Amino acid sequence: MKNAGRTDAVPELARALGRAVATIIDRAQVPAGTRILLIPAPSSQRSVQRRGYVPAELLVRQVEHELNRSVALHRRKVRVKTHHILSLEKENIYQRLIRPNTAGQKTLGASARAQRMEGAMRVSPRASVAGALCIVCDDVMTTGATVSEASRALRQAGARVLGTACVAAVSMQKNLDEGALMIHPD
């Protein structure tokens, strides 16, 4: 879906993401009448131009549609709403994420990815998320640097992050980087 333009896979992948989001909502024991913001991880401008879409946003919009129709959330009067409010800072896009003649994030270990992402995201100045309950959503988690940075930006804006959800996680071997995060999709 992400790199081959297979947007026809979005409904199936969104079902998996939706189960993860529903689990976070259940574990958070949010009260009836609560609205939860689903925050898709942003993509770089270069990626959006190449693909024509933001993978996490496509998935999250489908999740919003499906969860708001679900009996379980309806009974609890819990609603979810997609908010595309995170962006990569222009300075960081050029200086950290899209440096010419580099292979990008794919060749980096966990600590190098975390360094590259540090301070790279911000919440739109027009968005008011103070006190809002949020779940950060991404398509693939490799080291956790993207969702960690997204959570940091949301917390800095006053939001309460209930958790993060993704469709897939990549297992990294420690020899890639001393600080590599081992992820096991149990």
Side-chain angles (χ1 to χ4, degrees):
M1 187 273 292
K2 185 173 185 172
N3 294 320
R6 294 286 313 272
T7 56
D8 60 311
V10 167
E12 186 65 31
L13 295 171
R15 275 191 281 286
L17 184 62
R19 285 190 299 272
V21 169
T23 299
I24 292 168
I25 292 169
D26 287 343
R27 288 183 180 166
Q29 299 179 349
V30 297
T34 301
R35 185 176 86 158
I36 297 170
L37 305 181
L38 302 180
I39 312 295
S43 292
S44 69
Q45 290 175 351
R46 178 189 256 179
S47 294
V48 173
Q49 288 171 347
R50 185 178 70 246
R51 290 185 188 113
Y53 57 90
V54 177
E57 188 169 345
L58 286 181
L59 292 167
V60 170
R61 291 204 183 279
Q62 183 76 30
V63 167
E64 174 189 356
H65 175 74
E66 290 181 15
L67 285 182
N68 283 333
R69 292 176 49 215
S70 76
V71 173
L73 290 187
H74 181 70
R75 281 187 188 144
R76 293 172 55 193
K77 297 181 181 170
V78 172
R79 303 286 293 168
V80 295
K81 178 76 175 142
T82 302
H83 278 306
H84 185 78
I85 57 172
L86 286 177
S87 63
L88 294 166
E89 298 258 6
K90 185 175 182 179
E91 173 185 345
N92 287 323
I93 288 173
Y94 296 112
Q95 291 181 2
R96 296 180 182 199
L97 302 176
I98 307 178
R99 291 186 182 171
N101 304 318
T102 64
Q105 294 269 95
K106 292 177 185 172
T107 62
L108 300 177
S111 62
R113 281 179 182 232
Q115 278 183 319
R116 236 184 197 184
M117 289 304 296
E118 188 178 325
M121 289 186 201
R122 69 179 177 89
V123 173
S124 169
R126 294 185 305 264
S128 176
V129 295
L133 300 178
C134 300
I135 297 174
V136 177
C137 300
D138 205 355
D139 53 349
V140 178
M141 183 187 309
T142 305
T143 64
T146 300
V147 294
S148 291
E149 175 57 18
S151 296
R152 182 213 54 83
L154 288 163
R155 286 185 185 108
Q156 186 175 356
R160 180 174 162 220
V161 179
L162 298 176
T164 61
C166 64
V167 174
V170 176
S171 180
M172 295 185 65
Q173 297 176 4
K174 279 196 177 238
N175 63 4
L176 291 177
D177 187 293
E178 284 181 17
L181 174 64
M182 296 298 291
I183 299 173
H184 300 284
D186 304 294

